[in-house]
Amino acid sequence: MKIVVCLKQVPAKDAPLRLTADGGGIREDVGYEMNEPDAYALEEGLRLKEAGGGEVVALTLGPERAAQVLREALAKGADRALHLVAPAGAALDAAATAAALCAALQRDSGGGFDLALTGLQSDDMGYAQTGVLLAERLGLPHATIIMQIEPQPAGGDGARIKAKRELEGGYFQWLDIPLPAVLTIQSGINKLRYATLLGIKQAKNKPLARIPLEELGVDAGANRQRMLRLFIPQKTKQTVMLEGPAAQIAGQLFEHLRTAHLLPNS
Amino acid sequence: MNDELRPTALVFLEQRGGQLVPAALEALAAAQQLSAAAGLKVEAAVLGNAEETAAAASQAAAFRVEKLWMARHARLSPYVAEAYIEAAGALLARALPQWVFFCHSYQTRDYAPRLADRAGRELLGDVTALRREEGGLICSRPMYQGKLAAEFVSTLPPPLFLSLQIGAFSAEGLERAPAAAPVEALEPEISAPRVHPGEPFREARQAVDLGQAGKIVAVGRGIREEKNIELARQLAELLGAELAASRPICDNGWLPMDRQVGSSGQTVAPRLYLALGISGAIQHLVGMKASRTVVAINKDAAAPIFEAADIGAVGDLFEIVPALIAALKARA
């Protein structure tokens, strides 16, 4: 199976985010990491390849720094990587991103693949649309929020998989999907691996292609939605903040719970 | 396309088994509130098989809409994206609204982006607030897991596709109808979907109904290690509370899945919700923000959980919780 995994580099989970002076973005002097749901998509792709053979291609769209997530993917076992290089500061919306990924996949070795995987959403923009729109642009079936993938024995109507989709409120649904298809992966679908030292060493010799966006004929400024401003959300609730050493905080909290009759038998 | 559109706003009312989901009514209320000032009439639409659409339409009849659209077909049940996109597309081609509203459910996230893309538009998703200005609607939505928010506009002419975050708009102001609105039922052509959907199911009988719990102590990533869950368990026992968790804790297997609070787990509304080391990603907040008193302990002062908290403490839970446990024991 040829599996493409779309990865995004996002600010690290605990990074202190600060707005730029013009309020148009966040300051870039923070740590970055692979978007968590994408890391699960990568792991799922690697496991499918290990079980059934094939190739895993890691694909990202982002500025120069985003190459780091591709190096990480190669170190974990991806066979090769494609970096769609966006100009620094460019912020493509989901439709523009999907258009670029689609153009790159159609160009890459004749456009053929069996499965494209990505995380269900990014921890930065959180559009939760890129994978779905990629499927639309490629004319392929898709499924979102996938918790399990089971390749099926090849039948008369071509290769198919079964995928378990998460619904709300603890419900699930099995889908029977013909390949090629695009799936968006939920965090927790598997256990993530760490890159080994050997993997990191081998990654240096794996192909990592750089493709500037303009080479794909994609206009990084042609967004369908435009951000007017980024801001720190206003508090809508009055929060009583407890301060001081831990023992003092615990004491105040105990008093709050007591007066609100939230202690047992009160 | 613009001048062909009718002066209407269309709300897709999501149904499950013929039952309108609560968030559908929130979207309808928001549409009612915004549309009058914009000179638009509100219409609603339900999709499903014949039984589902009939049941959903009879519930929708209670609310003020100019018209209720139905798209019904056996292939719309169980839900599958391809069939929904075709049915909703056929309905839009007839209803020709300026604004198209959805609730930001898993189902909307699954099909509405493709539906909008086929109309040459993009879905503005997860909207938490809307205001009208010269030239269109300005949408607020969370960014960076709720640590920041942003205002967005569409760069394209109508139709505008919006999905509203669950719980962000109140259904309380929903206008009721003196009489049921006229219904227009479509039976669109729907091709055989490539994806074959199974019936929704529940994994196992849920052992714990957190929805009924009066008090909950919930743990998140900040608990750091599986063995530290014991600390939260001790606190929960002393408070007479149920133990719960955010998604990553259950993903790690540190607590069973039926202890998970959030959009993919249980929705809770206890008298006390004590969040230990939970950052408060939106998927978690939607599951607990109806709690009466929320107490949050987190080392990160910028954690979004504090937005939902009545009482907050920025500090080390491994110091504060043992001190609280000691105070509770001293009382007993």
Side-chain angles (χ1 to χ4, degrees):
Chain A
M1 218 191 286
K2 177 175 167 185
I3 300 158
V4 176
V5 186
C6 305
L7 307 167
K8 185 175 190 184
Q9 191 191 41
V10 298
K13 227 171 253 46
D14 54 357
L17 301 180
R18 283 177 298 166
L19 298 174
T20 53
D22 67 355
I26 59 154
R27 285 177 50 166
E28 294 233 331
D29 51 353
V30 294
Y32 285 87
E33 65 188 15
M34 188 185 295
N35 181 46
E36 187 175 46
D38 298 348
Y40 284 98
L42 171 66
E43 178 64 39
E44 198 61 20
L46 295 173
R47 287 176 186 223
L48 287 168
K49 180 193 128 175
E50 283 157 8
E55 181 188 28
V56 171
V57 181
L59 171 62
T60 196
L61 186 162
E64 296 293 350
R65 60 170 158 72
Q68 179 52 37
V69 299
L70 296 179
R71 285 192 285 272
E72 183 183 335
L74 292 171
K76 284 182 169 180
D79 298 283
R80 60 191 178 88
L82 300 173
H83 182 185
L84 313 185
V85 186
L92 281 74
D93 67 7
T97 304
L101 298 177
C102 174
L105 287 178
Q106 283 170 338
R107 207 175 82 154
D108 183 66
S109 58
F113 65 86
D114 300 295
L115 203 52
L117 305 177
T118 190
L120 78 165
Q121 66 185 48
S122 65
D123 286 349
D124 54 357
M125 302 296 120
Y127 290 130
Q129 295 193 38
T130 305
V132 179
L133 292 176
L134 176 63
E136 176 65 12
R137 298 303 173 92
L138 290 163
L140 298 178
H142 81 273
T144 53
I145 320 189
I146 297 304
M147 285 297 291
Q148 198 175 330
I149 299 174
E150 290 183 357
Q152 299 299 298
D157 51 351
R160 299 186 79 94
I161 53 161
K162 284 200 192 301
K164 187 165 125 188
R165 174 173 170 247
E166 182 180 294
L167 308 175
E168 283 137 328
Y171 280 85
F172 298 90
Q173 175 186 39
W174 280 101
L175 302 169
D176 181 332
I177 307 170
L179 301 183
V182 181
L183 305 181
T184 77
I185 303 298
Q186 171 68 290
S187 292
I189 184 174
N190 48 40
K191 291 267 173 275
L192 300 177
R193 73 186 65 191
Y194 292 98
T196 60
L197 278 175
L198 181 64
I200 293 166
K201 210 170 147 197
Q202 285 170 341
K204 295 196 169 77
N205 298 319
K206 290 179 177 174
L208 194 169
R210 289 179 82 262
I211 309 170
L213 273 189
E214 54 272 21
E215 234 177 75
L216 290 169
V218 174
D219 178 0
N223 282 345
R224 288 177 173 179
Q225 47 185 295
R226 183 161 54 90
M227 194 175 80
L228 300 178
R229 67 186 184 104
L230 190 62
F231 55 95
I232 296 162
Q234 244 178 0
K235 283 187 85 73
T236 48
K237 213 165 180 178
Q238 285 294 327
T239 309
V240 178
M241 293 305 287
L242 309 179
E243 286 172 13
Q248 201 177 319
I249 288 175
Q252 292 175 59
L253 182 50
F254 182 87
E255 273 312 296
H256 275 284
L257 296 178
R258 194 180 60 77
T259 52
H261 304 288
L262 288 167
L263 296 178
N265 314 318
S266 66
Chain B
M1 187 155 187
N2 198 359
D3 17 72
E4 293 170 22
L5 299 179
R6 297 164 58 236
T8 55
L10 181 70
V11 185
F12 279 93
L13 299 175
E14 183 171 328
Q15 56 84 15
R16 277 178 217 156
Q19 196 68 36
L20 293 180
V21 303
L25 302 183
E26 296 169 8
L28 182 59
Q32 284 178 339
Q33 281 154 27
L34 277 160
S35 299
L40 303 179
K41 304 276 191 201
V42 177
E43 300 183 344
V46 292
L47 273 59
N49 65 18
E51 296 78 47
E52 289 166 345
T53 48
S58 73
Q59 295 154 53
F63 308 109
R64 189 182 64 74
V65 292
E66 291 296 311
K67 186 181 206 171
L68 182 65
W69 297 84
M70 277 184 196
R72 56 190 182 205
H73 198 293
R75 282 181 173 149
L76 294 172
S77 182
Y79 164 84
V80 63
E82 291 168 84
Y84 256 64
I85 293 164
E86 281 192 53
L91 202 147
L92 286 176
R94 288 283 296 280
L96 294 168
Q98 306 270 345
W99 295 342
V100 188
F101 286 86
F102 303 86
C103 58
H104 194 65
S105 62
Y106 282 15
Q107 183 174 104
T108 296
R109 290 166 49 155
D110 194 58
Y111 84 94
R114 284 187 89 150
L115 176 69
D117 201 48
R118 271 182 217 182
R121 299 293 183 272
E122 186 163 339
L123 175 73
L124 296 180
D126 206 10
V127 173
T128 53
L130 282 165
R131 63 192 170 86
R132 232 181 106 245
E133 267 194 11
E134 206 59 45
L137 280 182
I138 297 179
C139 312
S140 301
R141 62 186 304 275
M143 302 267 284
Y144 299 96
Q145 297 266 290
K147 289 178 198 156
L148 298 174
E151 285 187 336
F152 279 88
V153 287
S154 173
T155 62
L156 299 169
L160 177 66
F161 290 76
L162 303 163
S163 68
L164 308 188
Q165 184 182 99
I166 295 170
F169 295 83
S170 170
E172 267 173 34
L174 198 57
E175 294 174 52
R176 304 206 157 244
V183 175
E184 184 161 346
L186 310 180
E187 275 156 14
E189 294 280 319
I190 295 179
S191 33
R194 293 170 289 185
V195 174
H196 303 156
E199 289 290 341
F201 65 94
R202 268 197 157 151
E203 201 76 300
R205 218 183 156 71
Q206 275 185 354
V208 197
D209 185 0
L210 294 176
Q212 299 304 316
K215 297 178 203 170
I216 290 176
V217 171
V219 293
R221 273 184 212 278
I223 202 79
R224 293 206 301 243
E225 284 182 69
E226 182 170 11
K227 65 176 171 58
N228 297 334
I229 301 271
E230 201 41 48
L231 190 64
R233 194 186 309 276
Q234 220 182 333
L235 178 60
E237 271 169 22
L238 285 165
L239 284 170
E242 287 285 353
L243 188 59
S246 64
R247 175 157 197 124
I249 300 302
C250 299
D251 280 348
N252 284 343
W254 295 355
L255 280 174
M257 282 291 177
D258 62 8
R259 295 273 169 182
Q260 185 193 327
V261 169
S263 55
S264 52
Q266 301 197 49
T267 301
V268 301
R271 289 190 294 134
L272 172 66
Y273 191 87
L274 210 163
L276 302 176
I278 290 179
S279 69
I282 186 62
Q283 296 86 342
H284 185 76
L285 295 182
V286 297
M288 50 63 74
K289 64 184 178 189
S291 306
R292 178 123 39 98
T293 300
V294 176
V295 178
I297 300 174
N298 200 297
K299 67 176 168 39
D300 178 8
I305 190 74
F306 289 119
E307 301 296 318
D310 299 282
I311 300 170
V314 177
D316 186 348
L317 76 89
F318 297 106
E319 292 178 11
I320 297 167
V321 173
L324 184 58
I325 286 173
L328 287 163
K329 280 186 175 162
R331 172 181 176 267

